[in-house]
Amino acid sequence: QPSPDFYEAVGGDDTFHRLVAAFYRGVAEDQVLRPLYPEEDLGPAEERFRLFLMQYWGGPRTYSEQRGHPRLRMRHAPFRVGVAERDAWLSRMRDAMDEIALPAEYDATIWEYFVRAADFMVNHIEDI
Ligand code: HEM
């Protein structure tokens, strides 16, 4: 489980701000992903995702103070996440990771997590 030491080593709040901002710039122009987001303003979704990642990687626990237990699969149930959506999500996340250019070892650790988490979020079994 990631620790506060990992969070600081990887660059703390600033790193997760930059990562999630870059990712949502990609989402905003993605023809597969953008229609899934219920709100016209992506800002609140961006903040929820940023707070979740900060907490997951050993930072402040603000996400759970505001949202409770993450239950991410349940929270994604209203959205159709098939293979195409997973691949689009990972592709936009890869671009965001490249943009912030973490040291290779941290990049690999976080990227492996995203690949696993994105597979876990697929909820349209007929697509697998
Ligand atoms: C929320 C799509 C994968 C973390 C959402 C929302 C959508 C979405 C449409 C609702 C936006 C909102 O908050 O209003 C997708 C798609 C994925 C994916 C298509 C493709 C696999 C992931 C992964 C993670 C993640 C891998 C974690 C690493 C979150 C979080 C929220 C969220 C934390 C906000 C939950 C809350 O309501 O508190 N996602 N997502 N998502 N997603 Fe994803």
Side-chain angles (χ1 to χ4, degrees):
Q1 188 65 19
S3 69
D5 286 347
F6 183 91
Y7 186 74
E8 289 311 320
V10 81
D13 299 22
D14 180 60
T15 288
F16 291 97
H17 268 90
R18 289 188 299 116
L19 176 64
V20 173
F23 176 70
Y24 268 90
R25 257 185 277 116
V27 169
E29 60 187 40
D30 192 292
Q31 306 212 344
V32 173
L33 297 177
R34 185 62 187 88
L36 294 177
Y37 287 78
E39 292 172 309
E40 195 181 325
D41 179 7
L42 288 175
E46 178 175 333
E47 187 181 20
R48 288 189 277 274
F49 188 36
R50 178 173 64 247
L51 290 176
F52 170 79
L53 288 179
M54 289 167 65
Q55 172 170 311
Y56 180 85
W57 290 103
R61 302 201 44 87
T62 316
Y63 177 86
S64 281
E65 283 163 18
Q66 293 184 0
R67 307 284 294 163
H69 189 285
R71 302 185 195 286
L72 284 189
R73 246 187 87 85
M74 187 196 80
R75 291 193 206 264
H76 286 76
F79 313 112
R80 181 189 193 283
V81 185
V83 167
E85 289 78 10
R86 177 201 63 189
D87 290 349
W89 193 99
L90 280 173
S91 169
R92 294 298 181 174
M93 183 53 79
R94 187 59 259 171
D95 288 347
M97 292 284 286
D98 289 345
E99 187 174 322
I100 69 164
L102 297 175
E105 194 186 321
Y106 296 142
D107 183 299
T109 300
I110 294 176
W111 180 246
E112 280 162 27
Y113 161 75
F114 280 138
V115 171
R116 243 186 311 118
D119 274 338
F120 179 65
M121 237 54 88
V122 172
N123 56 23
H124 273 254
I125 204 80
E126 69 270 27
D127 284 348
I128 293 179

